[in-house]
Amino acid sequence: MTNSPIPDPPYYGTEKMYDVSFTKDDHLNLKQHLSVTKGLFLLSYNDNPFIRDLYGGFNIRPIERGNNMSAGKYKELLTSRY
């Protein structure tokens, strides 16, 4: 998987917590771009119904990890084309 892209967009619904502007249209455009990209990719997102629906045609693996902002767990989605 050398040279496979690993996009890292702001998590959906938390965009205001980042220093960059990333709109709903940007999320849609990223998905469109990944849909036509010929290479492999791995994408990490928060577990959100919009994201599950948006990437429904891709391989989606739900995971849990430690939450950096609390002692609890955080649900994420690993989305890939492999």
Side-chain angles (χ1 to χ4, degrees):
M1 290 190 3
T2 305
N3 296 325
S4 297
I6 303 175
D8 189 22
Y11 284 172
Y12 185 74
T14 67
E15 297 86 357
K16 292 180 181 178
M17 298 174 72
Y18 294 83
D19 291 334
V20 296
S21 174
F22 208 86
T23 67
K24 184 174 184 177
D25 283 341
D26 292 323
H27 290 285
L28 296 168
N29 289 334
L30 175 59
K31 187 267 183 176
Q32 179 60 31
H33 177 75
L34 293 173
S35 294
V36 298
T37 298
K38 295 189 186 256
L40 304 175
F41 69 87
L42 176 65
L43 175 66
S44 173
Y45 256 116
N46 54 324
D47 192 347
N48 178 284
F50 172 76
I51 296 303
R52 282 183 176 265
D53 184 54
L54 184 62
Y55 288 93
F58 293 93
N59 180 25
I60 297 176
R61 180 176 172 213
I63 64 166
E64 285 189 0
R65 66 166 176 84
N67 187 339
N68 297 335
M69 301 179 98
S70 73
K73 296 284 185 182
Y74 191 81
K75 294 182 180 184
E76 289 190 357
L77 300 175
L78 295 181
T79 305
S80 65
R81 181 182 301 142
Y82 57 85

